[in-house]
Amino acid sequence: MLSEKMEDALNAQMNWEIYSANLYLSMASHFTHVGLSGFATWMNAQYQEEMFHAMRFFNYINGAGGHAKLGTIDAPQHDWKTPLAAFEDALEHEQGVTSRINDIANLAVEERNHAVGIFLQWFISEQVEEEESVSDVVGKLKLVGDGGGLFMLDRDLGTRVFTPPTNA
Ligand code: FEO
């Protein structure tokens, strides 16, 4: 059972996850365009992960008797000056996602909706990992600068593959 306010909040988050997916797909396109195929692969995996997040919200809302409603998704940015600028934007974006998830978790407490609280626990843990993995790349980019290390990092990031979590 979802209150109207909770259903709206969950729908807003589902749509924000789709925006996140589009943002990372746009970064994948940008990296392909500038010849950094490993960075593009990493972002493509991130895109798939965000769509997985969106579908979790979609299925939960409908499963809880609500109505998952797709809304208008804003166009993401298309180009970034440097790989570091893109990953810094990604980190800021993830911090924003964490804050939004926390707001919904607070609403669940306020409404004593424990089922939503349990549903959101997975996302609360997931956001710790999301911030950590982006932050790790930001740190590496700061270390390597624009030199040859960038191409080694590109090779490293190109090994990322998205595997849907089994605990989801
Ligand atoms: Fe779905 Fe990266 O948060």
Side-chain angles (χ1 to χ4, degrees):
M1 174 73 192
L2 300 172
S3 69
E4 198 180 324
K5 192 173 175 184
M6 181 59 80
E7 189 175 331
D8 288 349
L10 293 170
N11 265 310
Q13 188 58 33
M14 175 187 73
N15 282 287
W16 193 246
E17 298 289 348
I18 297 172
Y19 172 75
S20 306
N22 286 356
L23 174 65
Y24 295 130
L25 191 60
S26 184
M27 287 183 179
S29 180
H30 163 76
F31 282 127
T32 300
H33 186 66
V34 299
L36 290 167
S37 60
F39 280 85
T41 297
W42 195 97
M43 282 298 173
N44 206 290
Q46 190 66 20
Y47 155 75
Q48 292 173 59
E49 190 164 308
E50 297 302 345
M51 284 309 296
F52 176 78
H53 293 170
M55 288 310 297
R56 277 186 73 100
F57 278 98
F58 179 95
N59 291 328
Y60 183 80
I61 296 164
N62 284 330
H67 185 171
K69 292 177 183 161
L70 296 158
T72 305
I73 310 293
D74 288 340
Q77 191 174 326
H78 301 123
D79 294 293
W80 286 265
K81 282 209 167 86
T82 61
L84 178 59
F87 272 85
E88 280 178 335
D89 278 2
L91 181 57
E92 195 182 330
H93 182 77
E94 287 307 324
Q95 288 162 344
V97 172
T98 300
S99 167
R100 285 166 186 254
I101 298 276
N102 286 340
D103 286 347
I104 310 173
N106 287 341
L107 179 63
V109 171
E110 217 176 274
E111 293 190 353
R112 296 172 178 238
N113 191 330
H114 302 300
V116 170
I118 289 167
F119 167 69
L120 289 174
Q121 271 176 20
W122 183 86
F123 280 96
I124 290 165
S125 305
E126 173 73 358
Q127 278 312 117
V128 175
E129 285 177 31
E130 289 277 271
E131 286 190 36
E132 194 183 342
S133 71
V134 179
S135 183
D136 180 62
V137 181
V138 167
K140 284 179 176 150
L141 280 167
K142 282 182 177 165
L143 277 176
V144 303
D146 298 329
L150 192 62
F151 293 99
M152 281 172 68
L153 188 54
D154 188 59
R155 204 170 46 196
D156 186 34
L157 296 185
T159 60
R160 183 180 177 192
V161 176
F162 172 66
T163 312
T166 48
N167 64 341

